[in-house]
Amino acid sequence: HVFVGTENGLSVIDIQTRKVLFSKKILGKLKKFQVMDFFEYRSKIYFSTFSDGVWNIDIRKGEINRQFTQLEGAFSVYQKDSNNLLVCHGDTRNKSICEYRISNYLFGNHSSSSYGSTIFWNYIKDKKGRVFSTGNGVNFSTGGLFQLKNKNAINVSSLFGINSTETWSLFYDKSSDILYVGTIDKGLFIVDLNSKFEYYSPSYFSQNLIEIVGFEQMKNQDIVLHKKGV
């Protein structure tokens, strides 16, 4: 089946017959019913809306049923594995994306882990297990391409030469290890993930913030020059 979410409801399509099995148009509390993302848990399909809660889909009965009314709106949902979700609720500093056990999320329990400071829209996992996401802040220019790792959102835009804070869509070609990044303002970027890269946070250099101005190699050592020292 293909599940199609719109700003006004949901449709379910049988890909064998190419017929719409059922379609639901609902007037939400904001006069719309914006379906944002889908996920699967214990052989059931669920979807999160922007402002009208989380719902499950009963294909046999042709029904959708509200699971719970979420306390916060959802901009996007990414299913990490069979038991865990990432849910973006907004672009509040260091609290934009939350990690949930699905069993907790379905009963409206709060997340104990949050990070990131933009709105995350799309996600992919490459064949090395790295998760990338596009960010485009609604209230602030905080977007870009991010790697989500160890409960941190690492902005890798500069690393890949992406000069946009309005990244939007992602496509990953597993056979070639190529990542396609679509933006609202700067067009399309094509990233070769085969290229080796590593990220060292300021804490690696015992700094809260580091401005690197140069590199050098001496006797098989990598020397990093920054504004506060070497």
Side-chain angles (χ1 to χ4, degrees), residues 147-227:
Q147 183 182 357
L148 307 182
K149 180 181 179 181
N150 298 329
K151 298 184 179 181
N152 282 291
I154 303 164
N155 193 325
V156 294
S157 299
S158 296
L159 185 65
F160 292 132
I162 297 172
N163 60 342
S164 171
T165 59
E166 298 182 50
T167 61
W168 186 263
S169 56
L170 280 177
F171 175 77
Y172 175 62
D173 186 340
K174 187 175 182 179
S175 62
S176 62
D177 210 18
I178 297 291
L179 180 64
Y180 297 84
V181 183
T183 72
I184 292 175
D185 59 338
K186 297 293 178 66
L188 175 69
F189 293 86
I190 300 175
V191 178
D192 182 0
L193 294 178
N194 269 315
S195 300
K196 182 179 179 182
F197 72 91
E198 295 179 348
Y199 171 77
Y200 297 92
S201 66
S203 61
Y204 179 85
F205 302 95
S206 301
Q207 302 287 321
N208 292 323
L209 180 68
I210 187 168
E211 295 183 67
I212 296 174
V213 296
F215 301 88
E216 189 59 72
Q217 283 189 324
M218 296 178 62
K219 296 181 180 180
N220 296 321
Q221 284 189 318
D222 294 321
I223 307 300
V224 178
L225 174 66
H226 58 91
K227 287 193 173 181

Side-chain angles (χ1 to χ4, degrees), residues 57-80:
I57 303 170
D58 190 324
I59 296 176
R60 185 176 58 84
K61 293 182 179 179
E63 296 177 350
I64 61 173
N65 302 288
R66 193 195 304 265
Q67 182 73 28
F68 78 96
T69 302
Q70 62 215 38
L71 299 178
E72 301 175 90
F75 284 88
S76 64
V77 177
Y78 172 68
Q79 187 163 0
K80 293 178 64 179

Side-chain angles (χ1 to χ4, degrees), residues 133-145:
S133 180
T134 50
N136 179 23
V138 172
N139 299 307
F140 309 100
S141 297
T142 52
L145 179 65

Side-chain angles (χ1 to χ4, degrees), residues 14-188:
D14 186 325
I15 59 175
Q16 299 297 327
T17 63
R18 299 184 181 181
K19 292 183 178 180
V20 176
L21 295 179
F22 65 88
S23 184
K24 299 292 183 182
K25 186 174 182 179
I26 296 176
L27 189 65
K29 65 181 182 181
L30 297 179
K31 307 303 180 184
K32 293 182 178 181
F33 188 77
Q34 293 174 269
V35 177
M36 306 306 289
D37 264 318
F38 299 86
F39 60 95
E40 182 178 0
Y41 183 63
R42 294 183 177 176
S43 301
K44 289 185 177 181
I45 304 297
Y46 298 85
F47 63 89
S48 290
T49 66
F50 179 69
S51 58
D52 292 283
V54 176
W55 299 63
N56 64 67
I57 303 170
D58 190 324
I59 296 176
R60 185 176 58 84
K61 293 182 179 179
E63 296 177 350
I64 61 173
N65 302 288
R66 193 195 304 265
Q67 182 73 28
F68 78 96
T69 302
Q70 62 215 38
L71 299 178
E72 301 175 90
F75 284 88
S76 64
V77 177
Y78 172 68
Q79 187 163 0
K80 293 178 64 179
D81 52 44
S82 59
N83 292 303
N84 296 281
L85 294 176
L86 299 179
V87 182
C88 180
H89 292 298
D91 55 1
T92 301
R93 183 174 175 81
N94 297 323
K95 293 183 178 180
S96 62
I97 196 167
C98 296
E99 295 200 8
Y100 294 92
R101 295 283 291 180
I102 296 178
S103 55
N104 291 331
Y105 183 63
L106 291 178
F107 287 96
N109 295 327
H110 287 283
S111 168
S112 59
S113 174
S114 60
Y115 53 90
S117 302
T118 190
I119 293 179
F120 297 92
W121 294 101
N122 288 283
Y123 309 79
I124 66 95
K125 180 186 288 186
D126 73 0
K127 59 186 179 183
K128 295 179 181 177
R130 298 174 297 190
V131 177
F132 295 94
S133 180
T134 50
N136 179 23
V138 172
N139 299 307
F140 309 100
S141 297
T142 52
L145 179 65
F146 293 82
Q147 183 182 357
L148 307 182
K149 180 181 179 181
N150 298 329
K151 298 184 179 181
N152 282 291
I154 303 164
N155 193 325
V156 294
S157 299
S158 296
L159 185 65
F160 292 132
I162 297 172
N163 60 342
S164 171
T165 59
E166 298 182 50
T167 61
W168 186 263
S169 56
L170 280 177
F171 175 77
Y172 175 62
D173 186 340
K174 187 175 182 179
S175 62
S176 62
D177 210 18
I178 297 291
L179 180 64
Y180 297 84
V181 183
T183 72
I184 292 175
D185 59 338
K186 297 293 178 66
L188 175 69

